[in-house]
Structure formats: structure tokens, C-alpha cells
Amino acid sequence: MLDPAKRPSWSEQSQAAVRTPAPELRSAEPPESEQAVAPEAVRGRAPVQPRLVAAVMLIVAGVVWAATRGLEFYGLSPVKIVYDLDQPPLLLIAVAAWLLYRSRRR
Amino acid sequence: MILPHIQIARAHWLLGALFLAIVLEAYLPILRPDGRPEESRSVVIPWMLMIGGVGVWATTVFADVVHDMLIHTLWGDILFAAGALVLARRRGAYERPWLDWVLPLAFLGCGALFLVHVEIDPGGQGAHWHLAIGLLLLAAGLLELARLRWRQASAIPLGLAPLAAVALALIAIPVAAAS
Amino acid sequence: MAGAAAIAGCMAALLLMVPAMAGAHAVLETSAPSYGAVVSAEPGHLTLDYNEDVVPQLAQVSVLTPAGRDLAGTPRLSGSTVTVPLRSGPKGSYTVRWRMVAADDGHVTEGAFSFGVDAAPVAPAPLGGVGIPVAPELLAWLQFIGVVLAGGTLTFRALITTPAARALGERRGSDAPAAIGLAAIGAVLALHAALFAFLVGAYPVVGGGVGDFVDAQIIPIRLSTHAGQAFTLSSFAWLGALALIVGAWVHPRRREPLLAAAGALSLAIAFGISWAGHPASGGTLLVIADYVHLLAGALWVGGLVALIALAASIRSRSRAERDALFRACLLRFSTLALPLVLVLAAAGVYVAVGELPSLSAIVSSQYGIVLVAKAAAFAAAIALAAYHRLSVVPRVVAGAPAAAVRRTLTNEVVVLAVALALAAVLSQTAPPT
């Protein structure tokens, strides 16, 4: 890092989002000619976003958890869960909302 | 510092939720129409790691027992160093091929420290949970190292599963304890 | 970005809330008298409450008077409560040392605290003959090196290199990578050295074996000693300095102000070293003089290191550019060097006079002998500095290459490193009474 010969890898320019893939993904990707394209893209449809799937799963999990907790009010819940304002179901839904927010197209 | 159980539960829930948000953002890429993952230059992850490192160093300073101080020091060092290196890369200030190995090695280091913590205090509070979290972090680190080593290109890295399990464990621990 | 900042704040707060693990070990929860308490009359007994049962036969408690007399009788146990009858003693600060073995898993825990009988308690005194050899001196030296690398070199850049480069029409300092690397190394060194210096200093207070010290309860010592308080504040300050250095690394446009801020913060942290040292018992003026002495030394050595790093960084430039920049920096530093050395010497003499009870103590005490050795190293460094000022600088002004100066600067740094090592030994040597 102190060697001036290594200067090309020391950038004086701060970089915003660039067009090339991030380094972690770039080194993990095979050469372009070998890269498979998602079937949906071949048929012209946008691929299913993993983040959307994860967000939906979290929301469903949070709703099911809250409903299970709510059943205790009717004496039906088999599991005693500590009830508090910052209960886990709300947190899971909050994480899902954050994921969707960070996934929006800019 | 000994806190009431509900405060400990709240801390674990919120910490788990934050870790889950970070893990999902870091390892679930946005796919372009052609199916390739989109680049991410997000600085949220490295800043979270560095702030996490500072927080763990705070635990070092305020710890009650010497071995807690020593283990949290190493933890804090790993998180802060990993965050600084990833931040420098994402800001374009420093680029080297070996930076790919930073996060996987950080997971391995943190996982190993969890196991060391359990080894020092096997009868401690939540020791079996710490053991599980340690093993999951080791698994995440190994899977990510394998992905780098064999250049597996996949939209969703395998390391996501154990990392998400760590986050969910943090959320589930106090719930299970209170049940 | 505001959302990310909010999450960052929450995460930091949460990580502070996660408690340290204290499970199967017998943790002292409360005591009567409690640590730091002042009681009006001597207590007839001391009560220690642990979070779990302890082994009666292995319970050890001592309660020492200011003169070192142990007033503790045989401990009586009832589950997790230990009651120690106390013999009659004088007014003053009492040091309690305890060592317990948890009944369920046999883990040893130990600790020490103090309380006062009709007097303010002082920090628990260390046990004589207990300690880890060399470690305190080495860790003090590493803290000095950290202050030099982070505080001295960055402040030198802010005061000398950056203005000199701007005067020659350069927009950004080309020695930035070297400066950032050195400062990061210094901050990391100092942060960890402060932690281990605190632990090495706490070990003689608690006593027992080094292996058992790993399970020692440390909070009363951290809160009641200057060393512990300085460690608490300096840890966060060093982390702040590291954050500024990382910020300077990744934000080229804001690099210079961030590095200047990191340098200033690093020099400010050095006050903790003086405050936790011997001068603290001699009053505020002595602490300030010691701090000024430390600052002047850090700037002197840090400036030399920065000059050497600058010379190495600009090697790839043309000779004319190299020599112009190096000459400008060397001249500016030479102008500051004489006042720095005078301040360093004056403050050092003031502290020495304050610590030595008489002139004969210079040769009759270990402290005095180490002081003489340090002064001799300092004198050698001054001789080299005078050679620079009177012989080397005029040659550089006349056009001599910068490369010739690097060797003599390196020699001066080596001599000053030896002086710093002797200063570290001095800081860990008790002044004569």
C-alpha cells in the first residue's frame, strides 16, 4: 500500500455506482461467453427478483407469527410467546419493507 | 452490566432484525432483465460493519470480566477491519483481488470466536445458542470461500442461508427462552 | 442515506445494550460496604453477595488498611453470600481483595475494590512483587509510538507538507497513502496497547495467578483508577481517530481536513497518558508539563518520520520536483524544530524537578538513573538535530539532493526511538519518595 509502484490501484477519484458488476460478483462470474441467461430473459419477461420473494416470505412469516400469537387471546395458542411492542412479527415485516425500499428502481 | 430479561430480549430481536436486513441486502442482488445480477456499490454494509466493530469495542471497554474484554476486542477488530476494506473497495479507493476474501474470512473469524467464547464459559447463559451461531457463521464463511474458490456464479449465494439463520436465531432466542 | 444513518445509530445503540456474558462464574453482584463507598465508622463485617453459590473452603478475602494490615477474619458462607468479620482498624482507604470458586463448575473469579472509613477511598493498591515483567514498559512505548505515528505525522502534514505542496502548486499531497498507512498503524497500535496496558496494570491490583486473572472482575478497577478512566475514554477516541483516517482514505476530496482532524484528536488523546501517569499525583501543573513534554516529542519524532515517508513517496517524480518539495518541507520543519526542542527540554526539566525530591536522588534511585539515561539519548538526538540544522540544511538549500538527508534523518529517528523507550521505562518506574 505504501509502494508508489502500486499507484494504479489507488484511486484519487471517488466512484459512484458504476456500470460494471461489483468486484465481489465480478470475480465470481464466469466469462461472458459462458454465462447463461435466465430463461425468463430469453422469453422476454423480467426475471423474478429474489428480493421480492424474500420480502413476501418475511411478510407472510410475520403475519402468521402475529396471528399465532393473537390466537392466545382466544385461548387457542399452544405456544406462550412474550408479547411486547417491538415483537418479532413486526420486525420481520419492517425488514421486508426495507428490502423492498432498497430494491426500488432509481 | 446485568440487564432485565426483557431488555436482553429486545436487544436480541432488534439486533437480529438489523442483521437480517443487512444480510438480505448484501446477498440478494437485483436481477437485470437479462438475468444478470446488478452491481452494488452500496456503502451501507461496510458502514454497518465498522459501526458494529465500534459497538463491540464498546462492549470490550464496559465488559465485567477480562476474558470478555479480550474476545470482544478480536471481534471488534475483525468487524472494523472488514468494514474499512470493503468500504475502500466500494468507494474505489483501493482494489486488490484478495479483497474478495475479506467478508468470508470475517465470518469465519467471528464464528471461531463464538466457539472460543463457549469453550471458555461452557456453562454460561445461552452457551448452546452461541455454539449454534458460531457454527452457522463458520458455515457461511466456508460456503462463501468455496464460491470464490470455484468461481460459482449464482444469483443467490449459498452463504446467505446460514447468515439468515444467524439473524433468525437472534430473533428466536429470547422468544424460545420465554416460551 | 438518512435511512442508513438511522439504522447505523440504532445498531450502535443496540450493540451497547448487549450485556457481557457472565454465566457460570461467581459474579460479585453487591457488597456492603460497596466499592467506592465512604462509611462514617469502621464496619464490623464485610458482606459479599454473588450470583451463585461458592465453595466455602476455597473462599479467600483480604481487607487491607492503608498500612497494609489485613483486618479480615475467616469468611462465613451462606449459599451465595460471604460474610467476613473485620477486626478494628484506623480511618482511611481499605482495599478488599477477593477470590472465589463457583460451586457448580469450579471456575475461579477474583476482584478488588476499595472503600473508605471516614475518608475518601483511593484506587486499590497493587500487590508488591506481582506483575508481568517488561510488559508495562513495552506497552507504554507502543502507546508513545502510536501517538507519534498518528498524531505527530498527521499534524506535521497539516502544518508543513500540505501548505508547502500548495505553495508549489500541487492540489493534493502525494504522500497521502503513506501518511494514511502510518497513521492507521499508529492508531491501531495505541488502541490495543492502551487496552493491554490497563489489563497489565490491573493484574497486580487483583493478584493471584495470571491464568485466574482471565476471569477477574475488572469494573471497579476501571472506574476507580486514573489508568482505567483514561483507558475508557481513550479507547473511544482512538476508534474515532481510526474512523477519521478511514474516512480520509475513501473520500479523496475531504482527505486533508479529515487527516488534520485525526492528527489533532490523536494528540489530544495523549493527555490521558500523562493523566494516568506518575505526574498526576504531583498536581495539575505537573500533568500539563508532562503532556506538553509528550506533545513536543510526538511532533518532533512524528515530523522526522513524515519527512522520511515524504522522501520515499516522491521517489518516482522528477529530481527537480522531488528536491523542491522536500527542500520546502525540510526548511519549514527546521524553523519549527528549535522551539519544539526548547519546549521539550523545558517541560522535561520541570517534570523531573517535580518528581525528584532532591538532587542526590538522580544517582541514588532507579528513577534518577533511568532519567539520566533518557537525557543522554535526548542529548545525542539534539546533537544530530544540530548537525542537520547547521550542516545538512544549508547544503540542501544550496542544491544537494534530498536522498542524502534521508539517511541522517533515519539515524535521528532511531536515536529518538531509544529515547522514547527509556521514557517508557521511566513512566513505569516509581519516583523516589
Side-chain angles (χ1 to χ4, degrees):
Chain A
M1 198 165 94
L2 301 180
D3 187 355
K6 288 189 165 55
R7 193 186 290 255
S9 58
W10 176 276
S11 170
E12 289 293 316
Q13 305 294 327
S14 68
Q15 296 181 24
V18 295
R19 294 189 181 281
T20 55
E24 296 90 345
L25 298 174
R26 190 164 50 213
S27 58
E29 286 179 352
E32 279 206 28
S33 58
E34 300 174 14
Q35 204 165 18
V37 174
E40 293 86 353
V42 171
R43 289 193 288 271
R45 277 186 288 142
V48 175
Q49 295 290 344
R51 290 190 179 192
L52 185 61
V53 171
V56 167
M57 285 171 60
L58 284 173
I59 292 171
V60 167
V63 168
V64 167
W65 194 340
T68 307
R69 174 66 187 88
L71 285 175
E72 187 173 336
F73 181 76
Y74 300 101
L76 296 173
S77 174
V79 179
K80 281 201 176 302
I81 300 173
V82 173
Y83 192 92
D84 208 315
L85 285 174
D86 48 334
Q87 56 186 325
L90 282 177
L91 292 176
L92 291 181
I93 295 170
V95 171
W98 162 258
L99 208 55
L100 291 172
Y101 169 76
R102 293 288 292 177
S103 306
R104 73 191 192 287
R105 288 256 168 227
R106 288 164 211 185
Chain B
M1 184 160 52
I2 299 175
L3 295 173
H5 288 291
I6 190 60
Q7 298 290 354
I8 298 173
R10 280 206 186 101
H12 280 84
W13 287 335
L14 285 171
L15 196 61
L18 282 171
F19 188 61
L20 186 64
I22 291 166
V23 160
L24 292 178
E25 166 157 358
Y27 287 97
L28 286 180
I30 297 173
L31 298 181
R32 293 187 204 159
D34 61 3
R36 292 178 61 194
E38 198 173 82
E39 71 274 11
S40 171
R41 289 287 191 189
S42 168
V43 295
V44 172
I45 307 299
W47 275 113
M48 289 292 107
L49 285 171
M50 284 202 292
I51 290 170
V54 170
V56 175
W57 257 98
T59 308
T60 297
V61 172
F62 295 117
D64 192 19
V65 185
V66 172
H67 66 73
D68 273 336
M69 295 178 88
L70 297 173
I71 288 183
H72 282 87
T73 298
L74 290 171
W75 249 324
D77 287 347
I78 289 173
L79 290 175
F80 195 93
L85 288 169
V86 173
L87 181 66
R89 188 183 214 186
R90 295 207 175 174
R91 291 281 306 177
Y94 190 67
E95 178 57 56
R96 288 281 199 286
W98 59 262
L99 287 174
D100 288 343
W101 305 86
V102 166
L103 281 181
L105 289 175
F107 295 141
L108 279 178
C110 289
L113 283 172
F114 265 104
L115 299 186
V116 167
H117 200 302
V118 172
E119 182 62 29
I120 289 175
D121 191 13
Q125 194 179 15
H128 53 291
W129 284 107
H130 291 115
L131 181 63
I133 288 174
L135 291 172
L136 285 169
L137 284 173
L138 284 176
L142 288 170
L143 286 169
E144 282 295 286
L145 283 178
R147 181 167 76 98
L148 288 173
R149 173 68 180 83
W150 284 285
R151 295 282 189 255
Q152 293 295 319
S154 60
I156 301 172
L158 288 175
L160 173 63
L163 289 173
V166 168
L168 292 171
L170 283 170
I171 296 173
I173 289 170
V175 175
S179 298
Chain C
M1 200 60 210
I7 288 181
C10 288
M11 183 145 182
L14 278 169
L15 282 165
L16 283 169
M17 284 169 60
V18 176
M21 301 303 147
H25 297 68
V27 173
L28 179 65
E29 292 186 321
T30 58
S31 67
S34 58
Y35 79 80
V38 178
V39 295
S40 54
E42 54 190 80
H45 58 271
L46 167 72
T47 306
L48 304 170
D49 288 305
Y50 293 88
N51 66 334
E52 60 178 76
D53 292 355
V54 295
V55 178
Q57 300 86 341
L58 299 177
Q60 294 177 22
V61 181
S62 64
V63 180
L64 302 177
T65 65
R69 190 161 67 99
D70 189 356
L71 301 181
T74 306
R76 292 192 297 266
L77 273 78
S78 173
S80 60
T81 300
V82 178
T83 306
V84 184
L86 297 178
R87 290 181 278 276
S88 178
K91 296 177 190 174
S93 177
Y94 285 27
T95 295
V96 177
R97 251 184 214 96
W98 58 267
R99 188 173 187 274
M100 299 292 158
V101 180
D104 60 354
D105 64 359
H107 271 126
V108 172
T109 47
E110 55 188 12
F113 64 91
S114 53
F115 66 90
V117 175
D118 203 21
V122 298
L127 288 166
V130 176
I132 303 173
V134 180
E137 292 81 3
L138 177 63
L139 292 165
W141 185 64
L142 289 174
Q143 288 190 75
F144 291 157
I145 297 291
V147 171
V148 162
L149 291 180
T153 59
L154 290 183
T155 305
F156 172 88
R157 275 194 90 249
L159 295 177
I160 292 179
T161 312
T162 306
R166 283 210 185 107
L168 291 171
E170 293 186 26
R171 287 190 58 221
R172 289 202 186 114
S174 55
D175 65 332
I180 289 173
L182 285 171
I185 289 170
V188 168
L189 259 182
L191 173 65
H192 292 81
L195 165 66
F196 286 102
F198 165 65
L199 291 177
V200 163
Y203 169 60
V205 176
V206 175
V210 175
D212 292 339
F213 181 65
V214 172
D215 291 321
Q217 284 189 248
I218 211 76
I219 286 182
I221 299 169
R222 184 174 60 76
L223 292 177
S224 62
T225 61
H226 275 198
Q229 291 156 12
F231 155 68
T232 303
L233 291 172
S234 71
S235 295
F236 291 107
W238 279 120
L239 287 167
L242 268 172
L244 288 169
I245 294 167
V246 170
W249 188 21
V250 302
H251 290 286
R253 287 199 189 95
R254 281 169 255 171
R255 183 165 289 160
E256 298 308 328
L258 285 172
L259 286 179
L265 180 57
S266 303
L267 290 180
I269 296 170
F271 182 77
I273 298 175
S274 299
W275 187 59
H278 299 307
S281 56
T284 309
L285 275 179
L286 208 59
V287 173
I288 292 173
D290 189 73
Y291 177 51
V292 168
H293 184 66
L294 180 56
L295 274 188
L299 287 171
W300 183 10
V301 186
L304 291 170
V305 171
L307 273 174
I308 295 169
L310 173 69
S313 305
I314 57 179
R315 251 188 336 220
S316 57
R317 292 191 178 182
S318 71
R319 182 167 161 183
E321 282 180 350
R322 268 201 325 259
D323 289 347
L325 178 59
F326 192 77
R327 191 176 305 128
C329 292
L330 185 64
L331 283 174
R332 285 173 188 244
F333 182 62
S334 293
T335 309
L336 285 178
L338 182 59
L340 261 183
V341 169
L342 289 175
V343 167
L344 176 76
V349 166
Y350 184 88
V351 173
V353 167
E355 296 282 36
L356 291 170
S358 65
L359 214 55
S360 60
I362 292 177
V363 293
S364 63
S365 67
Q366 190 178 356
Y367 185 91
I369 293 170
V370 177
L371 180 64
V372 167
K374 178 189 159 191
F378 177 64
I382 288 201
L384 271 172
Y387 168 71
H388 275 132
R389 186 72 185 88
L390 299 172
S391 173
V392 173
V393 170
R395 278 193 278 136
V396 169
V397 169
V405 185
R406 223 168 51 230
R407 204 172 307 115
T408 49
L409 287 178
T410 306
N411 293 340
E412 194 176 332
V413 168
V414 168
V415 171
L416 283 168
V418 171
L420 278 178
L422 289 165
V425 172
L426 194 65
S427 71
Q428 303 303 311
T429 307
T433 50

